[in-house]
Amino acid sequence: MTAELEADVVVVGAGPVGLMLAAELRLGGADVAVLETRQSPTTESRASTLHARTMEILDSRGLLTAFASPPREVRGHFGGIPLDLTLPSAHFGQWKVPQTQTERVLQDWAQSLGARITRRHTLRALRTSQQGVQAVAAGPHGPVRIRARYLVGCDGENSTVRRLLGAHFPGQDARRELLRADVAGIDVPDRRFQRLPQGLAVAARRGDGVTRVMVHEFGRDAAARTTEPDFAEVCEVWQHVTGEDISSGTPLWVNSFGDACRQLAHYRHGRILFAGDAAHRQMPIGGQALNLGLQDAVNLGWKLAATAGGRTPETLLDTYHTERHAVGRRVLANITVQAQLLLGGTEAGSPRALITELLASTTVRGHLAAMIAGLDIRYDTQDGAGPPLLGARLPHFDLTVRQRRATSTALLRSGRPLLLTLHPEAAALHRDAEPWSDRILTVAATPAPGTPPATHAGAGAVLVRPDGHVVWAQPGDTPLRTALTRWFGPPATPSTTPAPADHRLLPSSSASSAFEG
């Protein structure tokens, strides 16, 4: 007999992006099933860098304690040229977290919220209709028939969902590549993007004694690979570039990555959407790829949950493509430039000298650092003029709420939209928002003493999406009710609207996590 699986949303892929999306969907009330080909979470280190904006998002979901205290490096790079990542964020810098830990934390979180993760299932067929998505997967006990309202491909750069759909994925294939390996039992000098006459070499010894090596030979074309390179190839190229023999070491993991650059023409195909590497393929320079994908998931999660739940019109999903495609295009552009600086031979010398000179400018350094960290993202809210916060992320700052300490970040932990009023005269806005009290959180607060007005840009009140971006602010040109309807659907009817009461500051499940002290 053919087994069946039904859900509001099926997520294909249980990597970090798919798990993040599953959790965000559950926060929004959607029934979620995750399909994964692998039998168990990855044991490979792969992506190991989390940037400031991603750390802010994890903080806004109360997840930072699960990551313990990962090491932080304030010094990053742009195409191998040192770059100070100090920025106005509580989490500036790059945080070193193995992908194994990221997946474990996100899987535990998604499952604790009720997401169903089904492993050893591979998607085989896919079709859509106006009513939903039908698919077939091959499982360990035979075929599984799948029905869902929506399906999201989070299944990596070789996405099966993308292939079955035939989605247009323009761009270029890899022309150059880096070989990398985690190797035990070798003793080589640490190297941070060392350019030698024959190529580029990177080596970093971890606390457990394992050394990650990466190497590129100038002028060497990317190989047409169907499998990962073997360790002997890494040793050969490493010796040619550095003159060192690492063949006596024990390889724990070997792979390669090239400078391919592709991006889906559309992130949304009706009831099928894409996030992470399934939507864009790029060289993982500076750790941007994983962060880009996780931020895709947080942008999409609340929108898809609200749409699947019938609270908002389907047009809200179009903003996912509009917003994230533009961000992805910009990230791919900066990665392309970095790849040229990093892997180019002698021809890269002059551009590298120019970038090094420009980085002496505080403005240039801050611009590039914010771009890599994801802190400069500003979405078009279509709301006309307003405070500088409009479209940007809500920054972290301390608040007083009913004589208790809280933070702006912690107020987002429920995963609900937030109306935050910061001055007593803005309290009347809570009455305007009452018809949306079934889906938004209203909080009256006072910035903590000493909080610079520039932190909240002088706004008297802000409406914040679950992903942390401000979509309405006072003063501004757009009425609050217009913004509430645009982003969170029409108001509830009187029969379903909770009776007016003392405005809820926090749902009871979030109170302990939002207040500090």
Side-chain angles (χ1 to χ4, degrees):
M1 295 179 61
T2 301
E4 295 191 355
L5 184 154
E6 292 189 7
D8 291 334
V9 182
V10 167
V11 176
V12 181
V17 175
L19 294 169
M20 188 83 187
L21 177 60
E24 291 292 308
L25 287 164
R26 287 298 302 139
L27 281 178
D31 177 38
V32 184
V34 182
L35 294 184
E36 171 57 51
T37 300
R38 297 173 301 168
Q39 182 172 347
S40 58
T42 185
T43 58
E44 301 173 346
S45 49
R46 291 189 178 272
S48 60
T49 298
L50 299 179
H51 282 296
R53 180 59 192 142
T54 300
M55 293 295 284
E56 290 181 348
I57 290 170
L58 295 173
D59 190 7
S60 75
R61 297 299 185 256
L63 293 174
L64 288 189
T65 54
F67 286 92
S69 300
R72 172 168 63 171
E73 297 178 1
V74 176
R75 187 178 68 160
H77 72 94
F78 187 85
I81 301 169
L83 175 65
D84 181 358
L85 295 175
T86 302
L87 292 164
S89 167
H91 306 292
F92 65 85
Q94 51 184 12
W95 301 78
K96 293 303 180 180
V97 180
Q99 183 169 327
T100 51
Q101 183 182 9
T102 301
E103 283 197 20
R104 183 173 63 253
V105 170
L106 295 180
Q107 176 175 287
D108 290 348
W109 181 45
Q111 289 182 315
S112 74
L113 292 171
R116 294 171 283 154
I117 301 175
T118 304
R119 294 188 175 273
R120 299 169 62 197
H121 283 66
T122 302
L123 199 66
R124 296 299 191 199
L126 183 65
R127 67 177 183 178
T128 63
S129 67
Q130 290 185 343
Q131 288 70 43
V133 180
Q134 299 82 44
V136 176
H141 305 296
V144 178
R145 183 180 293 114
I146 299 165
R147 294 186 180 90
R149 298 195 63 189
Y150 297 91
L151 183 145
V152 187
C154 299
D155 50 343
E157 60 183 25
N158 298 314
S159 169
T160 298
V161 178
R162 194 178 63 225
R163 174 178 56 80
L164 290 174
L165 194 64
H168 186 40
F169 196 44
Q172 69 176 32
D173 291 329
R175 295 172 295 180
R176 295 168 293 195
E177 69 178 351
L178 270 165
L179 304 177
R180 63 179 170 179
D182 288 346
V183 189
I186 62 173
D187 185 14
V188 296
D190 277 4
R191 293 180 168 92
R192 188 177 178 89
F193 304 108
Q194 185 178 20
R195 288 172 61 84
L196 299 164
Q198 300 301 321
L200 173 76
V202 180
R205 188 179 180 91
R206 303 191 318 223
D208 60 3
V210 174
T211 300
R212 170 166 291 188
V213 298
M214 294 193 290
V215 63
H216 168 71
E217 181 182 349
F218 293 147
R220 179 182 171 121
D221 293 333
R225 301 186 186 276
T226 56
T227 61
E228 299 292 9
D230 57 35
F231 185 51
E233 182 180 358
V234 177
C235 295
E236 177 188 352
V237 177
W238 183 267
Q239 185 160 33
H240 181 69
V241 171
T242 69
E244 298 167 353
D245 183 4
I246 60 172
S247 61
S248 62
T250 301
L252 305 180
W253 173 62
V254 179
N255 91 325
S256 66
F257 58 92
D259 61 349
C261 182
R262 292 187 176 276
Q263 185 179 25
L264 274 176
H266 300 282
Y267 284 13
R268 182 189 179 195
H269 294 251
R271 290 181 175 268
I272 297 178
L273 301 101
F274 294 87
D277 287 350
H280 37 75
R281 185 174 183 178
Q282 61 285 306
M283 196 172 197
I285 294 179
Q288 293 184 88
L290 173 59
N291 293 268
L292 180 63
L294 290 173
Q295 292 164 37
D296 286 345
V298 175
N299 183 288
L300 175 59
W302 69 272
K303 295 175 181 177
L304 187 51
T307 305
R311 297 187 297 277
T312 57
E314 285 212 2
T315 51
L316 179 64
L317 293 179
D318 294 330
T319 68
Y320 168 65
H321 166 80
T322 301
E323 294 176 351
R324 295 307 298 173
H325 192 275
V327 171
R329 183 171 61 246
R330 188 164 182 253
V331 170
L332 264 61
N334 91 56
I335 287 177
T336 298
V337 172
Q338 291 195 69
Q340 293 169 349
L341 294 171
L342 195 63
L343 304 182
T346 55
E347 75 278 6
S350 295
R352 289 179 62 83
L354 177 60
I355 295 296
T356 301
E357 182 179 338
L358 290 174
L359 284 175
S361 162
T362 301
T363 301
V364 173
R365 183 208 65 79
H367 179 86
L368 292 182
M371 178 172 60
I372 289 172
L375 295 179
D376 66 343
I377 296 171
R378 183 183 299 272
Y379 298 130
D380 182 4
T381 64
Q382 303 176 7
D383 283 337
L389 277 180
L390 201 59
R393 81 196 203 286
L394 181 70
H396 178 98
F397 57 97
D398 294 329
L399 299 164
T400 300
V401 180
R402 287 187 174 177
Q403 300 181 338
R404 299 184 67 182
R405 293 169 49 228
T407 68
S408 56
T409 302
L411 293 177
L412 296 170
R413 287 182 182 161
S414 68
R416 301 173 70 189
L418 169 69
L419 175 63
L420 175 62
T421 58
L422 299 170
H423 295 294
E425 58 267 27
L429 295 170
H430 291 224
R431 290 190 293 273
D432 292 340
E434 190 64 43
W436 286 265
S437 62
D438 62 323
R439 73 204 74 163
I440 74 166
L441 182 66
T442 58
V443 177
T446 303
T451 302
T455 302
H456 47 86
V462 289
L463 180 64
V464 189
R465 306 188 317 194
D467 61 359
H469 281 262
V470 176
V471 290
W472 177 89
Q474 186 190 65
D477 293 341
T478 302
L480 173 61
R481 286 173 172 260
T482 300
L484 285 165
T485 302
R486 174 180 297 156
W487 292 105
F488 310 119
T493 60
S495 61
T496 60
T497 302
D502 190 16
H503 298 293
R504 285 187 299 172
L505 295 183
L506 291 166
S508 58
S509 61
S510 319
S512 61
S513 63
F515 289 112
E516 298 178 351

